[in-house]
Amino acid sequence: MTDRRQNIVEAAQQVFLRYGFARTTMADIAKAAGLSRPTLYASFPDKAEIFRAVLEAMVAEELAELRANVATVQDFEAQLIYLAEKWTLDGYDLVAANPDAKDMFDMSFAVVRESYTMFEALLADLISEAFADPAREAQAGRMARMAVAAMKGFKDIAEDREDLRGMIRSLVTAVSAVVAHG
């Protein structure tokens, strides 16, 4: 990514967090990036492409952090707790601090669905390794998909952060029991 594009993505992230996708304009992004609108359009054709770039950058950073840190956690259940809580609670906290940031988790955007698919793949890899049986790879994928869908739903119904954490821990206990007992 060029320096200009990187600057735009960083500035746009703050604008999208503040106003959400619908209320953000190209003029808002240009102003935040310290650029003219024509210069902004020379780098990105529209707001949707900037939104995609912002989310891709945020997700890449989050997934890199998750991958790096999960290796330092000792056992499967603790690893699953770390991944589930970090992914879900970070998103929950982001929206709590910036209510219009909920667009960053709106599944009507293809890039949001793609981000959940990438996280799902990370969970599936972890679960598959815990099974240590290649024949159960499909089951690991289904369990990861179920877990990600549950975590997404938990964010929508949680009364507060601790309620969300409790639901995540219950889910992890259930997934861990299936992995341990087949």
Side-chain angles (χ1 to χ4, degrees):
M1 188 178 296
T2 67
D3 288 343
R4 182 188 316 165
R5 284 179 66 92
Q6 181 65 34
N7 177 51
I8 293 167
V9 167
E10 289 171 4
Q13 179 178 337
Q14 297 310 310
V15 176
F16 286 127
L17 288 173
R18 188 177 322 122
Y19 299 120
F21 179 81
R23 290 182 31 220
T24 294
T25 66
M26 290 294 274
D28 295 330
I29 296 168
K31 181 178 178 183
L35 302 171
S36 67
R37 284 182 44 202
T39 302
L40 177 62
Y41 279 107
S43 295
F44 288 95
D46 57 33
K47 178 174 71 168
E49 286 303 312
I50 299 172
F51 187 70
R52 170 173 280 286
V54 166
L55 284 175
E56 286 174 347
M58 289 175 68
V59 170
E61 183 178 321
E62 181 80 1
L63 289 174
E65 181 181 342
L66 291 172
R67 284 187 185 97
N69 292 334
V70 75
T72 67
V73 179
Q74 295 301 317
D75 64 40
F76 170 73
E77 189 167 345
Q79 288 176 328
L80 195 54
I81 287 170
Y82 168 73
L83 291 175
E85 286 187 349
K86 181 86 170 93
W87 179 264
T88 307
L89 294 174
D90 281 2
Y92 184 84
D93 292 343
L94 186 69
V95 172
N98 305 281
D100 287 322
K102 65 184 175 291
D103 289 347
M104 305 246 182
F105 303 96
D106 183 341
M107 296 296 262
S108 68
F109 293 103
V111 67
V112 174
R113 292 190 304 275
E114 292 162 13
S115 71
Y116 276 89
T117 299
M118 287 186 279
F119 178 67
E120 185 180 306
L122 177 61
L123 283 183
D125 288 345
L126 179 68
I127 294 167
S128 184
E129 288 174 22
F131 276 143
D133 179 359
R136 298 187 76 183
E137 189 170 325
Q139 184 179 5
R142 287 191 301 273
M143 289 182 71
R145 186 166 192 200
M146 174 201 66
V148 170
M151 288 183 278
K152 174 80 171 117
F154 293 165
K155 283 194 294 189
D156 293 339
I157 65 168
E159 293 176 14
D160 56 33
R161 193 175 199 278
E162 287 312 306
D163 185 37
L164 178 57
R165 175 176 268 137
M167 288 186 279
I168 292 167
R169 296 272 173 132
S170 295
L171 175 67
V172 167
T173 299
V175 170
S176 295
V178 169
V179 169
H181 303 294

